[in-house]
């Protein structure tokens, strides 16, 4: 929960001993320490404007609108979060949510899984749902770290040096000299060198050339 | 893994006792039963064309392109899956991946999390990544012809040959021998070699080595 910025955990009718132990453990997370305990789902969601029940089954509960986690559910839930307190309801790992639990829900949420492995580990199901809720809008375009690519003249310099090395090494390139040069130029271009790597490769090639020259004398 | 349709688990250097116990448990999953064991990351990814390392840190490893899980990483990885065997590499829960591990990667993948809770539970991190990979495309786009990348073992062979050439050329690499090897491995990985180009480079390096050896005698 805290990985994705969710901090309010409400626990309904937990197994007392396990819950108390987990809570008082030395390394108990803040979320667990602050967890609120309720005797019923009704009490737990009483102050929530929108209640979403999670289910491993994709099509059984026809009495509810069913959101698919990977098909817009995140947007829909975020929309409600603008104005409502939203509860995301998870069942026990063994039995999931009961029909009574579902009756407190405004809609159901399904994580699409393989037909032969519908049921998820509870912690993993929570993580996947919260990851989706925390997803940054794709409208803020994916911006990879801007990488400064080598200038074309750098790439050309590397091409020439590599051609020198190949000539000195008696490396046979198919076709005419011009065709060979083109093949090597394309080969170097396909490296998509960054400015830094271009410098490194130039240094490497210079050193090899120096060594070939020295030995060739 | 099986929730999202992924069945090939490879384990590097596991804690033997725990691994054997988990595997032989009565309710061990098929994935765990079929898990393959390797002594090193290099061996585990040898037949993979694209290796993606996961990291909790969003901006430290500038030597690699960094994919953000919620910003197009799924598409990018699915694209590679069309033509390559892809490895998704996770570190131990305690320490994550080492720089040596990263040096075997073509790119890094970051799950965006809260700044004060960067580090995720391993099983949850895996679930979130695989959920994203299994996400049904909202638009099935026409894609350019997929290019077959060189397998990791090919890339490793080129790295070793280049290291031989550098040693014979008396090329000085900053730092210790191990650091030098890592830097060169990353440099080669950043070439994103196709299978065909890998063969070309291997031929080139072999020829240079042969020439250096002949002259050095």
């Amino acid at each position: 929960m805290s990985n994705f910025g969710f901090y309010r955990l409400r626990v309904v009718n937990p197994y007392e001993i396990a819950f108390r132990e987990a809570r008082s453990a030395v390394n108990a997370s803040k979320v667990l320490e602050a967890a609120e305990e309720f005797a019923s789902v009704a009490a737990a969601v009483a102050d929530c404007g929108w209640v979403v029940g999670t289910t491993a089954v994709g099509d059984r509960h026809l009495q509810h609108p069913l959101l698919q986690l990977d098909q817009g559910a995140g947007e829909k839930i975020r929309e409600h979060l603008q104005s409502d307190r939203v509860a995301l309801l998870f069942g026990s790992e063994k039995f999931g949510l009961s029909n009574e639990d579902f009756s407190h829900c405004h809609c159901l949420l399904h994580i699409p899984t393989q037909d032969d492995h519908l049921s998820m580990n509870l912690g993993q199901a929570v993580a996947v749902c919260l990851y989706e809720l925390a997803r940054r809008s794709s409208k803020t375009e994916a911006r990879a770290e801007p990488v400064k690519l080598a200038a074309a003249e750098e790439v050309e310099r590397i091409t020439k040096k590599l051609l020198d090395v190949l000539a000195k090494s008696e490396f046979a390139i198919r076709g005419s000299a011009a065709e060979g040069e083109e093949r090597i130029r394309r080969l170097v271009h396909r490296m998509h060198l960054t400015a830094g790597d271009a410098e490194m490769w130039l240094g490497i090639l210079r050193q090899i050339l120096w060594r070939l020259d020295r030995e060739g004398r």
Side-chain angles (χ1 to χ4, degrees), chain A:
Chain A
M1 285 180 63
S2 41
N3 281 138
F4 298 113
F6 296 85
Y7 300 102
R8 300 198 64 162
L9 173 62
R10 295 179 169 188
V11 186
V12 174
N13 202 14
Y15 179 52
E16 263 316 320
I17 300 169
F19 184 58
R20 225 175 298 152
E21 263 177 21
R23 204 172 188 167
S24 59
V26 185
N27 56 353
S29 73
K30 292 240 161 63
V31 169
L32 198 53
E33 271 173 27
E36 299 164 87
E37 213 178 321
F38 293 88
S40 67
V41 169
V45 302
D47 60 352
C48 299
W50 208 53
V51 182
V52 183
T54 52
T55 172
V57 180
D59 54 6
R60 204 179 52 190
H61 313 280
L62 297 173
Q63 59 269 65
H64 283 92
L66 181 68
L67 302 176
Q68 299 287 341
L69 186 64
D70 63 344
Q71 307 277 301
E75 268 166 52
K76 183 92 184 157
I77 294 173
R78 278 192 299 269
E79 218 175 280
H80 275 277
L81 275 169
Q82 308 249 322
S83 50
D84 305 309
R85 177 166 286 173
V86 173
L88 203 51
L89 201 60
F90 292 88
S92 75
E93 181 135 1
K94 246 188 186 151
F95 304 111
L97 295 170
S98 69
N99 282 332
E100 208 279 328
D101 298 332
F102 285 136
S103 72
H104 296 278
C105 298
H106 296 84
C107 73
L108 298 185
L109 175 62
H110 173 60
I111 305 175
T113 48
Q114 293 294 106
D115 287 341
D116 51 346
H117 278 97
L118 285 174
S119 183
M120 281 189 73
N121 166 285
L122 177 57
Q124 293 178 9
V126 173
V128 166
C129 287
L130 299 186
Y131 159 75
E132 186 65 52
L133 289 190
R135 167 186 289 275
R136 291 163 292 180
S137 155
S138 54
K139 268 132 209 156
T140 36
E141 250 315 285
R143 224 188 315 278
E145 196 72 9
V147 177
K148 190 166 169 47
L149 290 183
E153 60 184 350
E154 276 300 279
V155 176
E156 187 60 17
R157 211 169 287 147
I158 288 170
T159 302
K160 297 293 193 197
K161 275 274 181 281
L162 181 56
L163 282 164
D164 284 354
V165 167
L166 293 182
K168 287 238 156 63
S169 306
E170 301 160 42
F171 183 82
I173 310 175
R174 233 190 308 121
S176 70
E179 283 165 359
E181 183 168 332
E182 273 178 39
R183 287 192 68 202
I184 295 301
R185 180 172 293 112
R186 284 196 303 266
L187 185 72
V188 173
H189 270 261
R190 282 196 297 273
M191 293 166 79
H192 293 286
L193 288 166
T194 63
D197 281 358
E199 207 177 318
M200 179 83 171
W201 278 108
L202 209 53
I204 287 175
L205 290 170
R206 276 203 193 103
Q207 182 71 17
I208 294 172
L209 257 186
W210 168 82
R211 181 61 162 60
L212 287 170
D213 276 344
R214 193 187 65 177
E215 298 298 335
R217 241 172 246 149

